[in-house]
Amino acid sequence: MLSEQELIRRDSLQKLIDYGINPFPAEEFKSTHYSNDIINNFIDGESVTLAGRLVRRKIQGKASFGDLMDSKGKIQVYFNRDYICPGEDKSMYNDVFKKWLDLGDFIGVEGKVFKTMVGETSINVEKFHVLSKALKPLPLGKKDQEGNIYD
């Protein structure tokens, strides 16, 4: 018997497939950097490509912050709906990112490095790819009353 969380994740999986995204692609996703390399060797505006697990997400309307964990550490990622979806179709952000991705899913991001107003090294995501869907939840994180994930 599947848990409620596993049923929700399988529903998200089906929605990704119906949207035309293969959540278990066989092709290789080439990363140019690891999280700790970006943080330790900060270059403002540098273009980077990296992959990892989405381990934190805070959605704030048309902009969201999250953490991407790879084999070398964790880095903050910034998703802005208008950067990811420059045209009229906003479904890649509004549906794929906000509704169908879950914590633990593997994604690849392409974007530029910047520092937030509080000085945290982050990636301004211009494009993201679903690399693999996690069908079982990670054993971490809690949700506040608005549904945002926190540590």
Side-chain angles (χ1 to χ4, degrees), residues 70-84:
D70 63 14
S71 62
K72 305 278 183 171
K74 188 166 51 170
I75 191 164
Q76 180 168 273
V77 287
Y78 171 71
F79 291 83
N80 182 300
R81 182 190 66 200
D82 297 328
Y83 288 154
I84 293 170

Side-chain angles (χ1 to χ4, degrees), residues 4 11 13 46 49 70 72 84 97 105-106 108 113 118 135 147:
E4 179 183 356
D11 183 52
L13 169 67
E46 180 179 25
T49 302
D70 63 14
K72 305 278 183 171
I84 293 170
F97 178 76
D105 288 353
F106 286 91
V113 179
V118 296
L135 296 178

